[in-house]
């Protein structure tokens, strides 16, 4: 047989062998990392209906951050030994997505982004008080698991405070200018009666199918945990934010101004823009898009024969009553109409649609003052509730209908 043919056959057989090896190694790597991830982040397990994590919450101390970093670093090294070219097409897509995730996880640690554990509109302390709404309670075990999480909350609260205190020392903080009013959602948790606490709400609807002695015991324990553990933890957070964080937060604005800010900014581009572009390239793209959109707006103003220039038209859009809902119900009704209208069009655009239904609801009151105009709030597929398109009905004079 011709030597060149033998060489080709050997190469093809080798690719098949090594490709199979890479596929098996990649699947094993995915499983190992997933097992680690759900153990580190119990809410992820609950969202995916994985049993055994109902009574656990995520710890965030420096020790926890380092442990995760070292694990993901090792996973990344092993992943680099595999070749996407030796995987099936679908596996290669998974490889690229997994590779990006690992890069993001490592970047979060290396830039110390975890020292700033809240954004301008979301935070750990705001998400915690939604635990009751996001948990299905079918019996005593569910209540006990919920209480077990509440008992761990003070410890994790102190871990977050320690991270933010370290952030103050190193200059890794949110800008001072965005912090005004951020104490309000914390203050709302400082109640004098457990029945007024969001954390106690599930116990107000505790089922009569639970025997009376057990029900009384659960209610007593819930009252003690909320008033003696959870509320004091929120008080510690409030004291820290008002006395230390607000006073010590940086006066600069941009991420570039943070320690290692250029790297941090690059990592955030990689995460949220999902493109390999520099900050300057994205800025230039933004300028060109603004110019394009401005030209289209000018053309529309001309077509409408509006009596005035660009500035006057913008003022018209911002101030004319026809563009604003008069009541929260009107805004929610408008959003519901368009949501259902879009639902009817989705099959024309997507081959696979979400199985889970969703509703339209206002952003919760404790979140609304600092929340975005709207956002989807999901739910586990196995839960007895759907997702929600949250519409912010706070300050209606800032919520245009267009």
């Amino acid at each position: 047989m011709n030597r060149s043919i033998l060489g080709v056959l050997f190469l093809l057989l080798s690719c098949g062998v090594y490709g199979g090896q890479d596929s098996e190694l990649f699947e094993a790597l995915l499983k190992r990392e997933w097992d680690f991830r759900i153990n580190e982040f119990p809410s992820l397990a609950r969202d995916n209906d994985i049993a055994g994590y109902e009574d656990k919450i995520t710890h965030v101390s420096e020790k926890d951050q380092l442990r995760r970093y070292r694990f993901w670093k090792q996973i990344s090294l092993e992943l680099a030994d595999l070749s996407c070219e030796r995987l099936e097409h679908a596996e290669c897509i998974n490889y690229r997505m997994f590779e990006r995730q690992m890069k993001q996880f490592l970047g979060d640690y290396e830039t110390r982004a975890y020292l700033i554990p809240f954004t301008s509109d979301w935070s750990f302390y705001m998400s915690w008080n939604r635990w009751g709404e996001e948990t299905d309670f079918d019996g005593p075990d569910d209540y006990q698991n919920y209480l077990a999480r509440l008992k761990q909350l003070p410890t994790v609260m102190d871990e977050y405070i320690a991270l933010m205190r370290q952030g103050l020392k190193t200059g890794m903080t949110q800008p001072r200018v965005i912090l005004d009013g951020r104490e309000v959602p914390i203050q709302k948790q400082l109640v004098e009666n457990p029945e007024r606490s969001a954390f106690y709400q599930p116990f107000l609807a505790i089922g009569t199918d639970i025997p009376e002695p057990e029900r009384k015991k659960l209610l007593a324990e819930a009252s003690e945990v909320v008033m003696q553990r959870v509320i004091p933890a929120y008080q510690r957070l409030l004291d820290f934010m008002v006395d230390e964080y607000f006073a010590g937060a940086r006066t600069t604005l941009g991420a570039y101004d943070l320690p290692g800010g250029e790297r941090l900014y690059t990592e955030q581009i990689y995460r949220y823009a999902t493109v390999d572009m520099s900050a300057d390239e994205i800025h230039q793209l933004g300028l060109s898009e603004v110019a394009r959109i401005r030209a289209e707006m000018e053309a529309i103003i001309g077509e409408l024969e509006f009596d005035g220039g660009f500035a006057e038209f913008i003022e018209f859009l911002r101030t004319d009553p026809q563009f604003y809902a008069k009541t929260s119900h009107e805004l929610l009704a408008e959003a519901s109409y368009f949501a259902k209208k879009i639902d009817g069009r989705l099959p024309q655009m997507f081959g696979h649609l979400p199985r889970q239904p969703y509703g339209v609801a206002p952003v919760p009151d404790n979140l609304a003052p600092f929340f975005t105009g709207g956002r989807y709030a999901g739910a586990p597929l196995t839960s007895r509730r759907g997702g929600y398109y949250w519409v912010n009905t706070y300050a209606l004079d800032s919520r245009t209908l267009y």
Side-chain angles (χ1 to χ4, degrees), residues 155-171:
T155 298
V156 180
M157 181 74 84
D158 291 339
E159 291 172 359
Y160 272 117
I161 291 173
L163 292 183
M164 290 187 286
R165 189 168 278 136
Q166 182 63 26
L168 287 171
K169 292 179 181 178
T170 59

Side-chain angles (χ1 to χ4, degrees), residues 9-20:
L9 287 174
F10 178 76
L11 180 62
L12 290 173
L13 288 171
S14 298
C15 288
V17 171
Y18 288 118

Side-chain angles (χ1 to χ4, degrees), residues 35-150:
D35 289 343
F36 174 83
R37 198 184 305 193
I38 61 174
N39 191 61
E40 293 288 320
F41 305 100
S43 62
L44 182 62
R46 291 193 294 273
D47 287 345
N48 286 274
D49 197 33
I50 299 173
Y53 298 87
E54 296 83 2
D55 60 343
K56 298 176 177 62
I57 66 174
T58 300
H59 285 264
V60 298
S61 70
E62 287 274 17
K63 181 178 68 175
D64 298 309
Q65 307 292 342
L66 179 59
R67 180 182 63 255
R68 291 166 193 149
Y69 175 74
R70 287 173 172 168
F71 178 84
W72 286 323
K73 187 75 171 178
Q74 181 60 36
I75 290 289
S76 297
L77 291 173
E78 295 180 35
L79 187 64
D81 289 336
L82 307 179
S83 171
C84 201
E85 296 177 356
R86 295 196 295 267
L87 298 174
E88 297 292 334
H89 178 67
E91 287 180 321
C92 187
I93 293 173
N94 288 337
Y95 178 99
R96 296 300 185 202
M97 293 176 65
F98 188 58
E99 183 181 46
R100 289 189 74 90
Q101 287 184 349
M102 293 303 103
K103 185 178 185 303
Q104 290 167 10
F105 292 161
L106 296 180
D108 281 347
Y109 183 84
E110 291 168 358
T111 61
R112 307 204 76 185
Y114 62 88
L115 294 180
I116 309 178
F118 67 99
T119 67
S120 60
D121 68 357
W122 195 247
S123 64
F124 60 92
Y125 55 85
M126 292 164 72
S127 64
W128 284 346
N129 62 39
R130 292 190 51 76
W131 281 351
E133 296 179 46
E134 296 172 350
T135 301
D136 292 327
F137 294 92
D138 292 321
D141 288 347
D142 297 317
Y143 287 100
Q144 288 290 359
N145 288 331
Y146 176 70
L147 284 171
R149 280 188 273 155
L150 292 185

Side-chain angles (χ1 to χ4, degrees), residues 122-278:
W122 195 247
S123 64
F124 60 92
Y125 55 85
M126 292 164 72
S127 64
W128 284 346
N129 62 39
R130 292 190 51 76
W131 281 351
E133 296 179 46
E134 296 172 350
T135 301
D136 292 327
F137 294 92
D138 292 321
D141 288 347
D142 297 317
Y143 287 100
Q144 288 290 359
N145 288 331
Y146 176 70
L147 284 171
R149 280 188 273 155
L150 292 185
K151 291 173 184 177
Q152 297 169 67
L153 185 151
T155 298
V156 180
M157 181 74 84
D158 291 339
E159 291 172 359
Y160 272 117
I161 291 173
L163 292 183
M164 290 187 286
R165 189 168 278 136
Q166 182 63 26
L168 287 171
K169 292 179 181 178
T170 59
M172 288 291 290
T173 74
Q174 289 287 9
R176 176 62 185 88
V177 71
I178 75 162
L179 297 177
D180 287 341
R182 291 308 183 274
E183 74 281 5
V184 175
I186 306 173
Q187 290 172 333
K188 286 182 178 293
Q189 307 310 315
L190 305 181
V191 298
E192 297 180 357
N193 185 324
E195 294 187 1
R196 295 181 58 199
S197 171
F199 294 100
Y200 189 84
Q201 293 307 299
F203 296 93
L204 296 179
I206 193 167
T208 55
D209 55 322
I210 298 176
E212 181 68 16
E214 189 170 7
R215 189 162 69 249
K216 285 184 175 180
K217 183 179 178 181
L218 284 171
L219 291 173
E221 186 176 6
S223 179
E224 187 275 331
V225 170
V226 169
M227 298 307 297
Q228 301 302 319
R229 305 192 195 191
V230 174
I231 302 304
Y234 271 83
Q235 182 66 62
R236 290 198 299 277
L237 176 64
L238 179 65
D239 294 341
F240 166 76
M241 294 295 280
V242 173
D243 298 338
E244 297 182 49
Y245 202 85
F246 289 5
R250 63 190 174 103
T251 56
T252 55
L253 293 176
Y256 260 79
D257 297 316
L258 290 165
E262 185 173 356
R263 164 79 190 282
L264 176 65
Y265 199 88
T266 300
E267 291 293 340
Q268 297 306 301
I269 289 173
Y270 187 81
R271 176 188 295 269
Y272 293 108
T274 67
V275 292
D276 294 315
M277 297 173 65
S278 69

Side-chain angles (χ1 to χ4, degrees), residues 298-366:
E298 296 277 13
I300 292 172
I301 293 171
E303 292 172 7
L304 294 173
E305 299 181 353
F306 179 76
D307 184 19
F310 186 85
E312 289 80 11
F313 189 74
I314 295 299
E315 182 67 13
F316 165 67
L317 290 177
R318 288 175 174 170
T319 59
D320 195 289
Q322 68 177 300
F323 300 123
Y324 293 87
K326 296 178 179 60
T327 65
S328 298
H329 183 273
E330 183 183 349
L331 183 59
L332 290 168
E334 189 81 358
S336 299
Y337 166 74
F338 282 107
K340 296 311 296 181
K341 187 175 182 179
I342 291 168
D343 278 351
R345 296 287 300 278
L346 288 179
Q348 299 175 25
M349 305 175 193
F350 300 97
H352 298 281
L353 296 175
R355 299 198 311 269
Q356 189 177 64
Y358 72 97
V360 177
V363 174
D365 290 341
N366 65 312

Side-chain angles (χ1 to χ4, degrees), residues 386-401:
Y388 275 96
Y389 167 35
W390 278 356
V391 177
N392 201 334
T393 58
Y394 178 83
L396 287 174
D397 59 353
S398 68
R399 315 293 176 191
T400 57
L401 294 173

